[in-house]
Amino acid sequence: MTASLLRPPSQLNSPPQLNRWPRLWPDQRLLLERQHDRLEQQLTTLIQWHQPEAPAWSAEEAGACDHASQILLRNLKLHLRLEERWLDNWGCLRHGHRLAHRHASETALEGLLRCGRDRDRRLAWLEALRTWFVAHRDGADARAYSLAHAASQP
């Protein structure tokens, strides 16, 4: 297992004046897409750790996996909140999109709590979360991002 999921993003270590939130949709979209990519990478790494052919974990590795799963959920929740905020600012956040985010956040947390440290159940949970995330990115997010692009044009 690697601790790559546990490292903070390098952006957090940069001077405060460089951490300004983008105001233009193309820049906001780029940041959101980077977050999408990072979340997908976190999911892929966690899924690899949970594969049946992966070696058994030590207590320390199981704890690191638990922590990485919690970080994934935190990052997902923060991403969804930021996405909602920016799409709402562009007038492109639909009520159903917001509800889908809320439902996904709640379901993801409940799923993690239900599976505990059972690797097979956790793997099923991670795969279901990845399926939702990819479908949402390619569906509701793609439509909303397209609307935001159109709204941002002069």
Side-chain angles (χ1 to χ4, degrees):
M1 250 189 251
T2 175
S4 64
L5 289 173
L6 305 178
R7 278 187 246 129
S10 59
Q11 181 183 17
L12 296 178
N13 299 325
S14 61
Q17 67 273 17
L18 297 179
N19 286 333
R20 294 197 179 124
W21 291 110
R23 296 186 185 275
L24 301 175
W25 173 249
D27 299 325
Q28 292 172 340
R29 180 181 185 145
L30 181 62
L31 191 143
L32 292 171
E33 293 291 353
R34 285 183 185 155
Q35 289 179 344
H36 280 137
D37 294 342
R38 185 159 189 244
L39 286 163
E40 282 189 49
Q41 181 57 49
Q42 288 176 311
L43 279 163
T44 299
T45 300
L46 281 166
I47 287 170
Q48 289 170 347
W49 289 356
H50 285 79
Q51 292 300 318
E53 61 274 3
W57 298 333
S58 66
E60 182 179 298
E61 289 172 328
C65 190
D66 289 344
H67 185 67
S69 296
Q70 292 167 2
I71 288 172
L72 170 69
L73 287 184
R74 189 195 92 226
N75 289 344
L76 176 63
K77 184 176 182 178
L78 290 172
H79 166 75
L80 295 176
R81 285 176 39 198
L82 182 61
E83 182 179 84
E84 287 177 13
R85 178 179 165 196
W86 284 346
L87 289 174
D88 193 40
N89 286 345
W90 291 104
C92 302
L93 180 65
R94 302 296 181 252
H95 182 68
H97 195 162
R98 186 185 308 268
L99 288 177
H101 284 184
R102 184 178 308 144
H103 179 70
S105 291
E106 291 169 359
T107 302
L109 178 58
E110 290 168 6
L112 178 60
L113 295 174
R114 266 196 317 269
C115 51
R117 285 198 170 168
D118 183 305
R119 279 175 75 154
D120 293 334
R121 292 179 77 189
R122 177 95 51 104
L123 176 60
W125 168 76
L126 287 164
E127 289 174 338
L129 183 57
R130 179 173 60 182
T131 298
W132 175 85
F133 186 72
V134 170
H136 185 77
R137 182 180 188 181
D138 293 342
D141 282 352
R143 286 187 298 278
Y145 286 22
S146 178
L147 292 171
H149 174 74
S152 71
Q153 298 303 303

